[in-house]
Amino acid sequence: MNDAQALLGGRVDASGTTRRVALKAALGVGYAAAAAPIMAQTAIKTPATGLVAGEVTIDVNGFKMPAYRAAPAGKTGLPVVLVISEIFGVHEYIADTTHRLAQAGYLAMAPELFVRQGDPSEYGELAKLQSEIIAKVPDAQVMADLDACVAWAAANGGNTDKLAITGFCWGGRITWLYAAHQPKLKAGVAWYGRLVGNVTPQTPQHPLALAGSLKAPVLGLYGGADTGIPLDTVDKMKAELVKGPAPAKASEFVVYPDAPHAFHADYRPSYRKPAADDGWQRMLAWFKRFGVA
């Protein structure tokens, strides 16, 4: 809940309202009610010109998982980036993020990792979203879903020898976990993902405990004014990384001193354009540095 509260600037709606901010007709359309208030004036809209973009279905051992993907039209052998959402699922902001990566030459995939547990867009109360969906999503399930995305990408125009992952908030934590899970991964960029947490059957290990198992270097982009992620946890992670294997030692952090949680979320009041823009350029440079671009 600390993570979720920070995403909303410390505010949790206790009224139980379930009013939708926008009707979510399809994956990547509209915003989850729990994400309100929406700052339409700062939300970035990236054109899909020259792209193939939209919903696809990923087979995960017989289960049909929806994902939003965007890629340069008519091209194959594309480097692949997995895009992992916050707790609000694959809504408009996440879809636009895949467009931005596709315009930069990537096959970008954003799987709806909560689909078995429910639809985050239907929740107006953050506490219920957290308890009824997010807390029930097993890390092992997420890792398997992402592996299935990699397999789909390999069969649909992607070059998975050039594989990266990036994620925001909840997805930032998953980025660290996947970097410890997938040996094909070349690089990860974690945007303000929690590094510690309660151990549960669904979340048996957190990034701090997995620092010594990283198979790809991770760039951590964090906010110095984040009320949900204490900076001492960043320091603890740094201390563990230097003791780890080469990918751990190559990992780095950038902390933007005045940035709050979710500073990249251009549709939220937490958006800080200078930090978001700088982080985006650092992410692209990180991918290039480790052979993904």
Side-chain angles (χ1 to χ4, degrees):
M1 278 304 295
N2 286 343
D3 208 15
Q5 288 176 19
L7 186 63
L8 297 188
R11 177 188 60 79
V12 175
D13 183 359
S15 67
T17 179
T18 57
R19 181 178 64 83
R20 294 289 295 273
V21 175
L23 180 62
K24 185 179 179 184
L27 207 64
V29 177
Y31 299 98
I38 304 301
M39 308 295 285
Q41 65 270 32
T42 57
I44 296 171
K45 305 293 183 184
T46 304
T49 308
L51 305 180
V52 55
E55 187 173 332
V56 296
T57 301
I58 311 294
D59 182 270
V60 188
N61 299 318
F63 179 82
K64 304 302 182 185
M65 178 181 65
Y68 192 95
R69 70 84 175 82
K75 295 186 177 181
T76 58
L78 295 165
V80 178
V81 181
L82 303 177
V83 180
I84 315 303
S85 74
E86 331 106 314
I87 62 171
F88 304 127
V90 183
H91 60 128
E92 197 163 324
Y93 159 67
I94 297 298
D96 197 89
T97 300
T98 70
H99 289 182
R100 299 173 211 178
L101 284 163
Q103 293 289 10
Y106 294 92
L107 165 57
M109 299 184 63
E112 184 50 272
L113 298 168
F114 309 133
V115 65
R116 296 174 186 79
Q117 283 71 33
D119 182 357
S121 71
E122 295 183 347
Y123 282 74
E125 186 180 345
L126 195 63
K128 282 189 175 182
L129 170 58
Q130 185 72 29
S131 64
E132 295 181 11
I133 293 186
I134 308 305
K136 296 180 180 179
V137 180
D139 289 340
Q141 173 187 292
V142 174
M143 298 298 106
D145 286 350
L146 295 179
D147 288 346
C149 287
V150 174
W152 186 93
N156 290 273
N159 177 2
T160 53
D161 289 330
K162 296 184 175 183
L163 176 66
I165 186 172
T166 190
F168 306 91
C169 189
W170 182 89
R173 174 184 173 273
I174 294 299
T175 295
W176 287 103
L177 266 58
Y178 201 62
H181 166 80
Q182 175 55 260
K184 287 182 68 70
L185 196 71
K186 298 297 186 187
V189 177
W191 300 76
Y192 35 84
R194 284 180 66 81
L195 301 166
V196 300
N198 294 329
V199 172
T200 72
Q202 288 73 32
T203 58
Q205 290 182 295
H206 294 281
L208 184 64
L210 293 169
S213 302
L214 291 190
K215 298 170 176 62
V218 176
L219 172 64
L221 301 172
Y222 287 73
D226 191 328
T227 60
I229 302 178
L231 288 181
D232 71 321
T233 64
V234 172
D235 292 336
K236 290 175 182 177
M237 189 67 172
K238 288 179 179 178
E240 290 302 310
L241 289 169
V242 297
K243 297 185 290 186
K249 288 184 172 70
S251 298
E252 297 177 6
F253 280 89
V254 176
V255 177
Y256 298 95
D258 301 321
H261 194 76
F263 60 82
H264 185 269
D266 51 70
Y267 70 104
R268 296 281 309 134
S270 57
Y271 179 53
R272 299 294 185 271
K273 180 176 171 56
D277 289 351
D278 183 76
W280 187 264
Q281 293 305 316
R282 288 178 183 271
M283 178 185 71
L284 295 178
W286 190 259
F287 292 164
K288 184 176 181 179
R289 175 179 169 185
F290 291 101
V292 180

